[in-house]
Each structure stands twice: as structure tokens, then as C-alpha cells.
Amino acid sequence: MLSYEDVGAAADWLCEAFGFTELSRFEHGERVTHVNLAAGDGLVMIGWPGPDYRSPNRHREACDDARSWLDTPYVVDGVYVRIQDIDAHAERASTSGAVLLSGVEDNEAVGQRQYRVEDLEGHRWMFAEPLDPA
């Protein structure tokens, strides 16, 4: 489960950029507070923890330490998702405005092709598929 400042906008963007499917959306008044997204056979839950929450992007703007640890192109604290057709997935994410932290690369050590990306609020994701899809 990831927290977002604007859960509704994040859900819409994650579906567009990463190809997730929205399963359910919960609102309190005018605010979307929780959304369940399908990611293949998996589930990604996103929610709004309250008015004091700050996304990684906003944290980076206000905090030298956060800015420093987010300078790395690696997934410092994020989500790992197995997918199919990683090249098309990376292109879709990039076209939708995701910040690519790496291009698609082969990682022989773990037998996968992978890429790393940052979403609209600064959360980091690694998407991967097996090198040998057989």
C-alpha cells in the first residue's frame, strides 16, 4: 500500500502509465481516500493517510536529506512488479510522463529484464520480466 496526496489522480495516472486496472474506489466527501488496483495477478492499494502527508516529491523539495537519497537512480523504497512485454510497458510509462530512472536492461544475475521508474508523486517502481519467458 502506497500513500498519495491525491489518490484519485494517482489512480488514474497509474492505470494510464502502468496499465493497472481499477477495481474499487472509496471516497469521503469530495476526497478519494482509497483505491484498489489490479497489477496482473497482484493487488496495489493506494490511499490518503491525512492532510499532513507529503509525497516523496514534496519531501524532496523541502528536505536536503530526502533530495540526497533520491538522487540515486535505484529503487530506494518502492514496489517491484512482474510484467510481460517490458519494452512496450516502459514506452507507455515514459509517454505518460513517468520519470525513467533507467532504461530497460538485462540483469543476468537474477535472470530478468528490468527498468526503474518514478511515478507522478515520486514513488519508485521496478518493473521486470524473465529473460527467458518460456
Side-chain angles (χ1 to χ4, degrees):
M1 182 172 184
L2 295 171
S3 296
Y4 285 87
E5 292 179 26
D6 186 338
V7 176
D12 295 342
W13 188 89
L14 292 167
C15 290
E16 176 188 329
F18 297 159
F20 297 157
T21 302
E22 185 172 315
L23 300 175
S24 55
R25 181 179 288 230
F26 303 91
E27 299 176 358
H28 182 73
E30 299 282 321
R31 178 177 294 278
V32 177
T33 57
H34 184 92
V35 176
N36 291 320
L37 304 170
D41 292 336
L43 176 70
V44 176
M45 295 187 292
I46 63 175
W48 181 70
D52 294 328
Y53 172 73
R54 299 295 177 261
S55 69
N57 279 345
R58 293 245 318 234
H59 194 185
R60 173 184 3 223
E61 293 170 3
C63 174
D64 289 338
D65 286 339
R67 191 169 26 263
S68 176
W69 59 260
L70 289 169
D71 278 343
T72 179
Y74 301 106
V75 176
V76 177
D77 185 13
V79 182
Y80 175 86
V81 181
R82 303 279 319 251
I83 58 167
Q84 296 178 0
D85 196 359
I86 196 164
D87 294 304
H89 193 274
E91 178 64 28
R92 178 181 185 160
S94 178
T95 300
S96 297
V99 176
L100 294 181
L101 301 171
S102 72
V104 176
E105 57 196 13
D106 290 352
N107 184 337
E108 301 279 343
V110 294
Q112 68 185 26
R113 298 187 74 223
Q114 64 190 35
Y115 80 98
R116 295 176 299 277
V117 64
E118 196 172 87
D119 72 22
L120 76 166
E121 285 198 16
H123 295 287
R124 293 186 173 202
W125 301 75
M126 177 183 282
F127 291 96
E129 72 177 353
L131 275 171
D132 181 12

Short mmCIF file of all heavy atoms in Angstrom, two decimals, residues 38-79:
data_model
loop_
_atom_site.label_atom_id
_atom_site.label_comp_id
_atom_site.label_asym_id
_atom_site.label_seq_id
_atom_site.Cartn_x
_atom_site.Cartn_y
_atom_site.Cartn_z
N ALA A 38 -5.59 -3.53 -9.81
CA ALA A 38 -5.05 -4.84 -10.20
C ALA A 38 -3.78 -4.61 -11.00
O ALA A 38 -3.74 -3.76 -11.89
CB ALA A 38 -6.07 -5.61 -11.03
N ALA A 39 -2.77 -5.40 -10.67
CA ALA A 39 -1.50 -5.39 -11.39
C ALA A 39 -1.23 -6.84 -11.76
O ALA A 39 -0.62 -7.58 -10.99
CB ALA A 39 -0.38 -4.82 -10.51
N GLY A 40 -1.74 -7.26 -12.92
CA GLY A 40 -1.66 -8.67 -13.27
C GLY A 40 -2.45 -9.47 -12.25
O GLY A 40 -3.62 -9.19 -11.98
N ASP A 41 -1.80 -10.45 -11.62
CA ASP A 41 -2.45 -11.24 -10.58
C ASP A 41 -2.33 -10.60 -9.20
O ASP A 41 -2.84 -11.13 -8.22
CB ASP A 41 -1.84 -12.65 -10.51
CG ASP A 41 -2.15 -13.46 -11.75
OD1 ASP A 41 -3.16 -13.17 -12.43
OD2 ASP A 41 -1.40 -14.40 -12.04
N GLY A 42 -1.63 -9.46 -9.12
CA GLY A 42 -1.39 -8.81 -7.84
C GLY A 42 -2.35 -7.65 -7.60
O GLY A 42 -3.16 -7.28 -8.44
N LEU A 43 -2.26 -7.11 -6.40
CA LEU A 43 -3.10 -6.01 -5.98
C LEU A 43 -2.21 -4.89 -5.45
O LEU A 43 -1.30 -5.15 -4.65
CB LEU A 43 -4.06 -6.47 -4.88
CG LEU A 43 -4.95 -5.41 -4.25
CD1 LEU A 43 -6.00 -4.94 -5.25
CD2 LEU A 43 -5.62 -5.96 -2.99
N VAL A 44 -2.47 -3.68 -5.89
CA VAL A 44 -1.80 -2.49 -5.37
C VAL A 44 -2.88 -1.64 -4.73
O VAL A 44 -3.88 -1.31 -5.36
CB VAL A 44 -1.09 -1.69 -6.49
CG1 VAL A 44 -0.49 -0.41 -5.94
CG2 VAL A 44 -0.02 -2.54 -7.17
N MET A 45 -2.69 -1.31 -3.45
CA MET A 45 -3.62 -0.44 -2.75
C MET A 45 -2.96 0.91 -2.58
O MET A 45 -1.78 0.99 -2.22
CB MET A 45 -3.98 -1.02 -1.39
CG MET A 45 -4.74 -2.33 -1.48
SD MET A 45 -5.34 -2.92 0.13
CE MET A 45 -3.82 -3.31 0.95
N ILE A 46 -3.71 1.97 -2.86
CA ILE A 46 -3.20 3.31 -2.63
C ILE A 46 -4.21 4.06 -1.77
O ILE A 46 -5.42 3.82 -1.85
CB ILE A 46 -2.89 4.07 -3.94
CG1 ILE A 46 -4.13 4.29 -4.79
CG2 ILE A 46 -1.84 3.29 -4.74
CD1 ILE A 46 -3.86 5.14 -6.02
N GLY A 47 -3.71 4.94 -0.92
CA GLY A 47 -4.60 5.63 0.00
C GLY A 47 -4.08 6.98 0.43
O GLY A 47 -2.92 7.34 0.18
N TRP A 48 -4.93 7.72 1.07
CA TRP A 48 -4.63 9.05 1.60
C TRP A 48 -4.59 8.95 3.12
O TRP A 48 -5.62 8.70 3.76
CB TRP A 48 -5.70 10.04 1.15
CG TRP A 48 -5.48 11.43 1.62
CD1 TRP A 48 -4.50 12.30 1.20
CD2 TRP A 48 -6.26 12.16 2.58
NE1 TRP A 48 -4.62 13.51 1.85
CE2 TRP A 48 -5.71 13.44 2.70
CE3 TRP A 48 -7.36 11.84 3.35
CZ2 TRP A 48 -6.21 14.42 3.55
CZ3 TRP A 48 -7.87 12.80 4.20
CH2 TRP A 48 -7.30 14.08 4.30
N PRO A 49 -3.41 9.14 3.73
CA PRO A 49 -3.31 8.98 5.19
C PRO A 49 -3.74 10.21 5.98
O PRO A 49 -3.88 10.13 7.19
CB PRO A 49 -1.83 8.68 5.41
CG PRO A 49 -1.14 9.32 4.27
CD PRO A 49 -2.10 9.28 3.12
N GLY A 50 -3.91 11.36 5.34
CA GLY A 50 -4.34 12.55 6.06
C GLY A 50 -3.67 13.80 5.54
O GLY A 50 -2.76 13.74 4.72
N PRO A 51 -4.09 14.95 6.03
CA PRO A 51 -3.62 16.23 5.49
C PRO A 51 -2.14 16.52 5.74
O PRO A 51 -1.56 17.37 5.06
CB PRO A 51 -4.51 17.26 6.19
CG PRO A 51 -4.98 16.58 7.43
CD PRO A 51 -5.08 15.12 7.09
N ASP A 52 -1.51 15.86 6.67
CA ASP A 52 -0.10 16.13 6.95
C ASP A 52 0.85 15.30 6.09
O ASP A 52 2.06 15.52 6.12
CB ASP A 52 0.21 15.87 8.43
CG ASP A 52 -0.51 16.86 9.34
OD1 ASP A 52 -0.71 18.02 8.91
OD2 ASP A 52 -0.89 16.46 10.44
N TYR A 53 0.32 14.36 5.30
CA TYR A 53 1.17 13.52 4.46
C TYR A 53 1.82 14.34 3.35
O TYR A 53 1.18 15.19 2.75
CB TYR A 53 0.37 12.37 3.85
CG TYR A 53 1.17 11.60 2.83
CD1 TYR A 53 2.19 10.75 3.24
CD2 TYR A 53 0.98 11.79 1.47
CE1 TYR A 53 2.97 10.07 2.32
CE2 TYR A 53 1.75 11.12 0.55
CZ TYR A 53 2.75 10.27 0.97
OH TYR A 53 3.53 9.62 0.05
N ARG A 54 3.10 14.05 3.08
CA ARG A 54 3.83 14.67 1.98
C ARG A 54 4.43 13.58 1.13
O ARG A 54 5.10 12.67 1.64
CB ARG A 54 4.95 15.60 2.48
CG ARG A 54 4.47 16.77 3.32
CD ARG A 54 3.61 17.74 2.50
NE ARG A 54 3.08 18.82 3.32
CZ ARG A 54 1.85 18.86 3.82
NH1 ARG A 54 1.02 17.86 3.62
NH2 ARG A 54 1.44 19.87 4.53
N SER A 55 4.22 13.66 -0.17
CA SER A 55 4.74 12.67 -1.11
C SER A 55 6.26 12.75 -1.17
O SER A 55 6.86 13.74 -0.73
CB SER A 55 4.18 12.95 -2.51
OG SER A 55 4.73 14.17 -3.02
N PRO A 56 6.90 11.72 -1.74
CA PRO A 56 8.36 11.80 -1.92
C PRO A 56 8.79 13.05 -2.69
O PRO A 56 9.81 13.66 -2.34
CB PRO A 56 8.69 10.51 -2.68
CG PRO A 56 7.63 9.55 -2.25
CD PRO A 56 6.39 10.39 -2.12
N ASN A 57 8.04 13.44 -3.71
CA ASN A 57 8.41 14.65 -4.45
C ASN A 57 8.37 15.89 -3.57
O ASN A 57 9.27 16.72 -3.62
CB ASN A 57 7.48 14.86 -5.65
CG ASN A 57 7.88 14.01 -6.84
OD1 ASN A 57 8.98 13.46 -6.90
ND2 ASN A 57 6.98 13.90 -7.79
N ARG A 58 7.32 16.04 -2.78
CA ARG A 58 7.23 17.21 -1.90
C ARG A 58 8.27 17.13 -0.79
O ARG A 58 8.83 18.14 -0.39
CB ARG A 58 5.83 17.31 -1.31
CG ARG A 58 4.78 17.64 -2.36
CD ARG A 58 4.12 18.97 -2.19
NE ARG A 58 3.80 19.27 -0.82
CZ ARG A 58 2.61 19.60 -0.38
NH1 ARG A 58 1.60 19.65 -1.22
NH2 ARG A 58 2.41 19.88 0.88
N HIS A 59 8.54 15.92 -0.30
CA HIS A 59 9.57 15.75 0.72
C HIS A 59 10.93 16.16 0.16
O HIS A 59 11.71 16.84 0.81
CB HIS A 59 9.58 14.30 1.19
CG HIS A 59 10.35 14.06 2.44
ND1 HIS A 59 10.54 12.82 2.95
CD2 HIS A 59 11.00 14.90 3.29
CE1 HIS A 59 11.27 12.91 4.04
NE2 HIS A 59 11.56 14.14 4.26
N ARG A 60 11.21 15.78 -1.09
CA ARG A 60 12.47 16.12 -1.76
C ARG A 60 12.63 17.64 -1.86
O ARG A 60 13.73 18.16 -1.71
CB ARG A 60 12.48 15.47 -3.14
CG ARG A 60 13.62 15.86 -4.01
CD ARG A 60 13.60 15.29 -5.42
NE ARG A 60 12.46 14.51 -5.78
CZ ARG A 60 12.51 13.37 -6.45
NH1 ARG A 60 13.65 12.87 -6.84
NH2 ARG A 60 11.42 12.73 -6.76
N GLU A 61 11.53 18.35 -2.13
CA GLU A 61 11.59 19.80 -2.27
C GLU A 61 11.96 20.50 -0.96
O GLU A 61 12.60 21.55 -0.97
CB GLU A 61 10.24 20.34 -2.74
CG GLU A 61 9.87 19.94 -4.15
CD GLU A 61 8.42 20.30 -4.49
OE1 GLU A 61 7.72 20.91 -3.66
OE2 GLU A 61 7.99 19.94 -5.60
N ALA A 62 11.57 19.93 0.17
CA ALA A 62 11.73 20.60 1.45
C ALA A 62 12.85 20.06 2.32
O ALA A 62 13.16 20.64 3.36
CB ALA A 62 10.41 20.50 2.23
N CYS A 63 13.48 18.95 1.91
CA CYS A 63 14.44 18.28 2.80
C CYS A 63 15.71 17.90 2.04
O CYS A 63 15.67 17.14 1.08
CB CYS A 63 13.77 17.03 3.38
SG CYS A 63 14.85 16.00 4.38
N ASP A 64 16.84 18.43 2.50
CA ASP A 64 18.12 18.12 1.86
C ASP A 64 18.43 16.63 1.92
O ASP A 64 18.96 16.07 0.95
CB ASP A 64 19.26 18.90 2.52
CG ASP A 64 19.20 20.39 2.20
OD1 ASP A 64 18.58 20.75 1.18
OD2 ASP A 64 19.77 21.17 2.98
N ASP A 65 18.13 15.96 3.03
CA ASP A 65 18.40 14.53 3.13
C ASP A 65 17.59 13.74 2.11
O ASP A 65 18.11 12.86 1.43
CB ASP A 65 18.09 14.01 4.54
CG ASP A 65 19.12 14.44 5.57
OD1 ASP A 65 20.25 14.79 5.17
OD2 ASP A 65 18.79 14.43 6.77
N ALA A 66 16.31 14.06 1.98
CA ALA A 66 15.47 13.36 1.00
C ALA A 66 15.97 13.62 -0.41
O ALA A 66 16.03 12.71 -1.24
CB ALA A 66 14.02 13.78 1.14
N ARG A 67 16.33 14.86 -0.70
CA ARG A 67 16.85 15.19 -2.02
C ARG A 67 18.11 14.38 -2.31
O ARG A 67 18.28 13.85 -3.40
CB ARG A 67 17.13 16.69 -2.10
CG ARG A 67 17.42 17.21 -3.46
CD ARG A 67 17.44 18.74 -3.56
NE ARG A 67 17.75 19.49 -2.36
CZ ARG A 67 16.84 20.03 -1.53
NH1 ARG A 67 15.56 19.87 -1.78
NH2 ARG A 67 17.22 20.71 -0.48
N SER A 68 18.94 14.21 -1.32
CA SER A 68 20.19 13.47 -1.49
C SER A 68 19.94 11.99 -1.75
O SER A 68 20.50 11.42 -2.68
CB SER A 68 21.05 13.64 -0.23
OG SER A 68 22.21 12.87 -0.34
N TRP A 69 19.09 11.34 -0.94
CA TRP A 69 18.89 9.90 -1.16
C TRP A 69 18.04 9.62 -2.38
O TRP A 69 18.09 8.53 -2.94
CB TRP A 69 18.41 9.15 0.06
CG TRP A 69 17.14 9.51 0.76
CD1 TRP A 69 17.02 10.26 1.88
CD2 TRP A 69 15.81 9.11 0.42
NE1 TRP A 69 15.70 10.36 2.25
CE2 TRP A 69 14.93 9.65 1.37
CE3 TRP A 69 15.26 8.34 -0.60
CZ2 TRP A 69 13.56 9.48 1.34
CZ3 TRP A 69 13.89 8.15 -0.65
CH2 TRP A 69 13.06 8.72 0.31
N LEU A 70 17.30 10.61 -2.88
CA LEU A 70 16.53 10.40 -4.11
C LEU A 70 17.32 10.75 -5.37
O LEU A 70 16.82 10.62 -6.48
CB LEU A 70 15.22 11.18 -4.06
CG LEU A 70 14.18 10.61 -3.09
CD1 LEU A 70 13.02 11.58 -2.89
CD2 LEU A 70 13.69 9.25 -3.55
N ASP A 71 18.58 11.18 -5.20
CA ASP A 71 19.45 11.43 -6.35
C ASP A 71 19.88 10.13 -7.03
O ASP A 71 20.24 10.14 -8.19
CB ASP A 71 20.70 12.22 -5.94
CG ASP A 71 20.44 13.71 -5.84
OD1 ASP A 71 19.42 14.17 -6.38
OD2 ASP A 71 21.25 14.41 -5.22
N THR A 72 19.85 9.03 -6.33
CA THR A 72 20.24 7.75 -6.91
C THR A 72 19.16 7.27 -7.89
O THR A 72 17.97 7.49 -7.65
CB THR A 72 20.48 6.69 -5.82
OG1 THR A 72 20.83 5.46 -6.46
CG2 THR A 72 19.27 6.47 -4.96
N PRO A 73 19.55 6.60 -8.98
CA PRO A 73 18.55 6.09 -9.92
C PRO A 73 17.95 4.75 -9.48
O PRO A 73 17.16 4.17 -10.21
CB PRO A 73 19.36 5.92 -11.21
CG PRO A 73 20.74 5.61 -10.74
CD PRO A 73 20.91 6.43 -9.49
N TYR A 74 18.30 4.29 -8.30
CA TYR A 74 17.82 2.98 -7.85
C TYR A 74 16.53 3.11 -7.05
O TYR A 74 16.17 4.19 -6.61
CB TYR A 74 18.91 2.27 -7.04
CG TYR A 74 20.15 2.08 -7.87
CD1 TYR A 74 21.27 2.85 -7.66
CD2 TYR A 74 20.16 1.16 -8.91
CE1 TYR A 74 22.39 2.69 -8.46
CE2 TYR A 74 21.28 1.00 -9.71
CZ TYR A 74 22.39 1.77 -9.48
OH TYR A 74 23.49 1.62 -10.28
N VAL A 75 15.86 2.01 -6.85
CA VAL A 75 14.63 2.00 -6.07
C VAL A 75 15.03 1.94 -4.60
O VAL A 75 15.40 0.89 -4.09
CB VAL A 75 13.73 0.81 -6.47
CG1 VAL A 75 12.50 0.76 -5.59
CG2 VAL A 75 13.34 0.92 -7.94
N VAL A 76 15.00 3.09 -3.96
CA VAL A 76 15.40 3.21 -2.56
C VAL A 76 14.36 2.56 -1.67
O VAL A 76 14.67 1.84 -0.73
CB VAL A 76 15.58 4.70 -2.19
CG1 VAL A 76 15.93 4.86 -0.73
CG2 VAL A 76 16.65 5.35 -3.07
N ASP A 77 13.11 2.81 -1.95
CA ASP A 77 11.99 2.29 -1.18
C ASP A 77 10.81 2.28 -2.14
O ASP A 77 10.25 3.31 -2.43
CB ASP A 77 11.73 3.21 0.01
CG ASP A 77 10.67 2.68 0.94
OD1 ASP A 77 10.30 1.50 0.82
OD2 ASP A 77 10.19 3.45 1.79
N GLY A 78 10.48 1.12 -2.68
CA GLY A 78 9.46 1.12 -3.71
C GLY A 78 8.79 -0.22 -3.91
O GLY A 78 8.79 -1.07 -3.03
N VAL A 79 8.25 -0.39 -5.11
CA VAL A 79 7.43 -1.54 -5.42
C VAL A 79 8.03 -2.29 -6.61
O VAL A 79 8.46 -1.68 -7.58
CB VAL A 79 5.98 -1.10 -5.78
CG1 VAL A 79 5.10 -2.29 -6.06
CG2 VAL A 79 5.41 -0.24 -4.66
#
